[in-house]
Amino acid sequence: MRIAFLDSGIGGLTVLRQALTVLPADQFVYYADTLNAPYGVKPKTEVFAHVLAAADFLASLQIDALVLACNTATAVAVQTLREHYPFPVIGMEPAIKPALMQGTGKVMVFATSLTLRESKLETLISNLGQGHRVECRALDRLVPFAEAFDFTSRAVSDYLADRLADIRWSEYESAVLGCTHFLFYRDLIQECTGPDIRLIDGNQGTVNQLARVLEPLRTQAAAPVHDAAPRVTFYASGHKETPARVERMLALLSAP
Ligand code: DGL
């Protein structure tokens, strides 16, 4: 089957990386909306229009399913996309539920400003009935850092140290990485939180959900394909990605 992954940039690669393992016989299209990234600091209506345009492009490629590998895009557009297209649309939301279920302490949610502003998140938190255990913080600048393939510089660690300086981690049990770009900074974030905080993300859950949704749609079992390169076609805002960027993205997909 052909499955499309959509993100504002390279964040969704952290989800695709897991999908390549769980779904060894499928082909993937990866769409980074680089012309319009970052999404998280833009108005909702603008991001909504960008996601719809990207999804229309992907729909024209005869895809069997679309994964919004982006919490921000999901927050603003998943409902509309599900009503609009004949193929399944799998979204992502910050993994607050699993974080709350794993303990009784407080949970810090990291996401983009737009995700945190959206009513979808508010509804999720209030439906869980544990709002008093949840705090949220935006880490928007991690997205442009990642888009510049800057994962380790002093500027990144200074930004994180500054944004997280006032958090008393002794009051918390876990932190949710509620933006797919943030997974590139797992180690740096863990340095700030200290080793006792569990970092939780929704990537595996999303890929498991994708596999479940695809299962009844399969007509025959295909043979596994072993090389990541021919299995993924990369697009940047409606155009083929450049070979140089594809090379960097493939390196991220095969990183441990
Ligand atoms: N990767 C996206 C997410 O999961 C957002 C990045 C952006 O701000 O563009 O929320």
Side-chain angles (χ1 to χ4, degrees), residues 212-250:
R212 267 195 300 274
V213 167
L214 290 179
E215 206 42 52
L217 306 178
R218 293 187 190 281
T219 46
Q220 59 187 46
V225 191
H226 293 293
D227 188 353
R231 293 183 63 200
V232 187
T233 313
F234 294 93
Y235 289 91
S237 299
H239 299 281
K240 281 271 172 79
E241 284 273 17
T242 62
R245 264 181 60 92
V246 168
E247 199 177 314
R248 296 182 97 169
M249 293 166 89
L250 285 172

Side-chain angles (χ1 to χ4, degrees), residues 7-8 11-12 37-41 69-73 112 115 143 178-181:
D7 182 38
S8 60
Y39 283 168
V41 291
C70 174
N71 296 262
T72 314
T112 66
T115 300
V143 179
C179 166
T180 50
H181 282 78

Side-chain angles (χ1 to χ4, degrees), residues 3 34 66 72 99 106 120 163 244 252:
I3 305 150
T34 46
L66 170 63
T72 314
K106 279 176 72 175
K120 201 170 180 302
R163 282 295 289 155
L252 290 175

Side-chain angles (χ1 to χ4, degrees), residues 41 110-113 137-145 153-165 182 185 188-189 192:
V41 291
F110 296 132
T112 66
S113 293
R137 182 148 309 188
L139 293 177
D140 292 316
R141 276 190 60 200
L142 289 183
V143 179
F145 279 132
S153 76
R154 182 67 189 265
V156 178
S157 43
D158 283 353
Y159 168 68
L160 279 172
D162 183 55
R163 282 295 289 155
L164 309 182
F182 296 176
Y185 301 98
L188 286 180
I189 291 171
C192 296

Side-chain angles (χ1 to χ4, degrees), residues 91-113:
M92 293 190 77
E93 60 189 9
I96 302 175
K97 188 175 178 186
L100 287 170
M101 281 168 61
Q102 281 180 31
T104 53
K106 279 176 72 175
V107 173
M108 173 61 73
V109 180
F110 296 132
T112 66
S113 293

Side-chain angles (χ1 to χ4, degrees), residues 96 100-101 103-105 124-135:
I96 302 175
L100 287 170
M101 281 168 61
T104 53
L124 171 70
I125 294 173
S126 81
N127 283 349
L128 293 168
Q130 301 280 317
H132 58 285
R133 289 175 57 205
V134 181
E135 299 287 341

Side-chain angles (χ1 to χ4, degrees), residues 57 191 203 235:
F57 174 84
E191 273 175 33
N203 283 18
Y235 289 91

